[in-house]
């Protein structure tokens, strides 16, 4: 038993090691993952068509990073925000890093800041 404790004490420092990052250009798997997501979202949004149904957009892009809903009289407005560009390197997505998609009565009416501004007027 004494030899086991002694052997453990002597080999413990040898078991420590270093971590080697593999992936090239100093990018972690995490950053590559969000960069791929942003690129996928940008491509999908660039190929969107006005009038596309809300559920079809959700099926294509998945769950948005943020969403908002407003109903005025008989008109329902939805805004979905999808991450498309990183501004802050804090690991959190904010609305200013997203592209808004604007829906009126479940039909896509536009995307981007200009479309969002039109909704506010």
């Amino acid at each position: 038993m004494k030899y086991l404790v002694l052997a453990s004490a002597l080999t413990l420092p040898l078991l420590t090691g270093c971590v080697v990052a593999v992936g090239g250009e100093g990018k972690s798997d995490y950053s590559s993952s969000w960069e791929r997501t942003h690129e996928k979202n940008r491509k999908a949004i660039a190929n969107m068509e006005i009038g596309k149904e809300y559920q079809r957009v959700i099926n294509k892009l998945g769950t948005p990073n943020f969403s908002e809903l407003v109903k005025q009289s008989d008109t329902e407005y939805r805004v979905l925000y999808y991450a498309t560009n990183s501004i802050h390197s804090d690991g959190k997505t904010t609305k200013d890093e997203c592209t808004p998609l604007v829906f009126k009565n479940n039909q896509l009416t536009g995307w981007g800041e200009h479309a969002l501004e039109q909704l506010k007027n």
Side-chain angles (χ1 to χ4, degrees), residues 28-93:
S28 69
D29 288 336
Y30 175 76
S31 68
S32 296
S33 173
W34 64 258
E35 287 173 337
R36 283 192 301 271
T37 299
H38 289 193
E39 179 70 18
K40 177 186 91 60
N41 288 346
R42 282 192 303 271
K43 285 180 180 179
I45 291 169
N47 290 310
M48 286 284 161
E49 296 175 11
I50 297 295
K52 194 165 192 168
E53 294 176 3
Y54 169 81
Q55 193 58 51
R56 291 186 70 192
V57 172
I58 292 288
N59 292 345
K60 174 93 174 157
L61 288 169
T63 304
N65 295 88
F66 303 96
S67 64
E68 297 175 347
L69 172 70
V70 153
K71 188 163 184 164
Q72 297 174 345
S73 301
D74 293 335
T75 305
E76 183 179 275
Y77 296 96
R78 290 182 187 251
V79 181
L80 305 180
Y81 294 85
Y82 287 94
T84 53
N85 61 319
S86 179
I87 296 171
H88 316 288
S89 45
D90 57 4
K92 297 177 184 176
T93 301

Side-chain angles (χ1 to χ4, degrees), residues 7-18:
S8 295
L10 293 174
T11 58
L12 186 59
L14 300 174
L15 295 177
T16 61
C18 62

